Amino acid sequence: MLKLRFMTLARHIIEGEKMHPEATGELSKLLSDLSLAAKVISLEVNKAGLADILGFTGSHNIHGEEVKKLDVFAHDMMFTAMDHGGHLCVMASEEEENLIHIPSHFKLGKYVLLFDPLDGSSNIDANISIGTIFSIYKRITPDGTPGTMEDCLQLGINQVAAGYIVYGSSTILVYTAGHGVHGFTLDPAFGEFLLSHENIKIPKKGRIYSINEGNYKYWHPGLKKYIKYLQEEDEDSGRPYSSRYIGSMVADIHRNLLYGGIFMYPADSRNPNGKLRLMYECNPMSFIVEAAGGRASDGKQRILEIKPEKLHQRVPIFIGSAEDVKLVENFIHSEKLGS
Ligand code: AHM
Ligand code: MG
């Protein structure tokens, strides 16, 4: 007989907490607030494209309300869902240049939230998967005071939880609080995230590489050799690899997390620090991939150990199956030694 098991995100978080008697429940409540923001953003993403049909032209909709770009909407929604819970002391968003302070009439908490409200937003109009990424730290400044830049610019290894939501053929939320990575699919009929991927482990080695190959001309010679190596035929090492690049980091990494493989956004001669942001994209995705048994580096060092210098800092990234990431590091390293 089919055994039905409804494990909602909320219940899963509570069960996880029971295993940590020292937990105060604050982190659980924070994650629940985040999942509410995710549901609202998901609903809005699903309506993208209806704007013109429903008369949402120009900057105002039929109700005379201002129509916001989806990434601005997602940013506002994250802020609105998270500012009053009493769990945060400060936030920072890829959409906002400076720190986002908690309004003074709300209680301050012990956590710090950094987020990319809608990653891959250039894909929205083509109905391609996009995502939200979040990263949570414990504050290091004294309780009861507004959070500061120091609270935000912590090493990635200090994250207490991180997650992402992919708005794709379905909406899925994946998170880790350091032990185990779990995925929950949103049931649109009754608006609950249900456990669909328990304890995700990334394969040690994959057969997929994801990179914007249009930038080949500008790459480091070691990286050029690595990609050529992946394209050669060799049955024993599972080559040639398949190339898959959506152009939405969250969706590319989500696929590789499930199937195995490597995602890269390298430095190149035009962009010496790559494109992706350490605090909003690389740290949270690295925390998740490492918790699933994978590896993430900038080609030289572990992403999670990079000392952040500013909020919107960019870093090169190689992330995914551990053996694949190690191999690209070797290619880059040996080419440097040889040159
Ligand atoms: P965004 O934060 O402006 O959306 O940019 C980040 C996105 C990633 O999701 C994706 O991996 C990358 O940009 C794609 O960049 P490119 O078009 O240069 O390949
Ligand atoms: Mg982004």
Side-chain angles (χ1 to χ4, degrees):
M1 204 182 82
L2 181 69
K3 238 176 121 188
L4 279 179
R5 194 166 154 260
F6 286 108
M7 177 61 89
T8 62
L9 175 63
R11 195 166 131 205
H12 191 265
I13 293 170
I14 292 167
E15 304 263 309
E17 206 160 70
K18 281 188 197 153
M19 292 191 277
H20 298 277
E22 74 287 358
T24 58
E26 256 192 87
L27 183 61
S28 304
K29 290 186 194 126
L30 199 167
L31 289 166
S32 294
D33 290 351
L34 272 169
S35 75
L36 177 64
K39 287 179 201 173
V40 180
I41 298 169
S42 174
L43 199 66
E44 204 62 21
V45 166
N46 288 337
K47 284 196 297 198
L50 282 176
D52 293 337
I53 300 167
L54 300 178
F56 295 173
T57 48
S59 59
H60 289 81
N61 66 20
I62 43 171
H63 308 292
E65 297 156 343
E66 199 189 337
V67 179
K68 288 182 179 153
K69 279 178 64 196
L70 259 185
D71 37 15
V72 178
F73 173 86
H75 167 90
D76 290 352
M77 205 36 62
M78 289 290 278
F79 174 75
T80 309
M82 304 309 299
D83 68 342
H84 58 282
H87 318 301
L88 298 175
C89 64
V90 68
M91 294 185 244
S93 159
E94 201 196 276
E95 284 290 324
E96 180 87 47
E97 200 181 333
N98 300 312
L99 293 182
I100 307 168
H101 289 290
I102 305 299
S104 55
H105 50 283
F106 291 134
K107 191 177 154 249
L108 291 168
K110 62 180 177 195
Y111 290 106
V112 177
L113 173 69
L114 286 86
F115 58 91
D116 181 351
L118 213 54
D119 184 64
S121 49
S122 63
N123 283 322
I124 293 170
D125 291 342
N127 214 353
I128 292 169
S129 300
I130 46 182
T132 297
I133 312 172
F134 61 88
S135 169
I136 301 168
Y137 295 84
K138 251 191 198 151
R139 68 178 308 166
I140 47 182
T141 52
D143 284 345
T145 56
T148 67
M149 192 62 88
E150 202 189 339
D151 291 309
C152 291
L153 294 185
Q154 298 191 50
L155 295 182
I157 41 169
N158 289 353
Q159 287 170 99
V160 291
Y164 61 78
I165 299 105
V166 188
Y167 312 103
S169 46
S170 59
T171 294
I172 178 163
L173 182 153
V174 173
Y175 90 99
T176 180
H179 309 286
V181 177
H182 309 287
F184 299 80
T185 303
L186 182 63
D187 185 321
F190 53 101
E192 282 281 5
F193 279 106
L194 298 175
L195 183 63
S196 50
H197 299 71
E198 192 168 15
N199 207 11
I200 300 170
K201 293 281 177 216
I202 185 167
K204 283 194 165 44
K205 183 179 171 317
R207 291 187 73 167
I208 294 174
Y209 71 93
S210 318
I211 189 167
N212 184 342
E213 236 160 329
N215 295 329
Y216 182 88
K217 183 180 184 310
Y218 309 106
W219 291 345
H220 181 278
L223 180 60
K224 287 183 177 171
K225 281 192 181 163
Y226 172 70
I227 298 296
K228 286 292 161 214
Y229 169 85
L230 296 182
Q231 293 168 347
E232 284 162 11
E233 192 177 359
D234 177 53
E235 220 172 287
D236 291 345
S237 55
R239 290 176 291 150
Y241 275 34
S242 289
S243 163
R244 295 280 183 275
Y245 189 70
I246 297 170
S248 268
M249 183 202 205
V250 181
D252 272 313
I253 293 184
H254 180 65
R255 181 204 52 239
N256 292 0
L257 189 66
L258 299 181
Y259 300 165
I262 181 167
F263 171 89
M264 296 162 268
Y265 210 107
D268 63 35
S269 56
R270 290 188 305 182
N271 301 298
N273 299 315
K275 174 182 183 186
L276 302 176
R277 319 275 169 122
L278 176 62
M279 304 313 292
Y280 309 109
E281 293 158 333
C282 299
N283 266 339
M285 297 311 277
S286 301
F287 193 65
I288 296 163
V289 167
E290 282 201 9
R295 187 177 173 98
S297 97
D298 68 354
K300 291 180 289 220
Q301 72 171 130
R302 191 178 170 203
I303 294 284
L304 296 180
E305 290 176 0
I306 295 175
K307 180 142 182 32
E309 277 156 17
K310 50 184 185 183
L311 271 182
H312 295 271
Q313 179 173 345
R314 297 172 197 267
V315 289
I317 186 165
F318 302 89
I319 180 169
S321 295
E323 286 183 20
D324 291 306
V325 176
K326 267 186 219 155
L327 191 62
V328 73
E329 286 169 332
N330 289 344
F331 266 88
I332 292 171
H333 184 64
S334 39
E335 189 63 30
K336 275 216 173 94
L337 292 179
S339 59

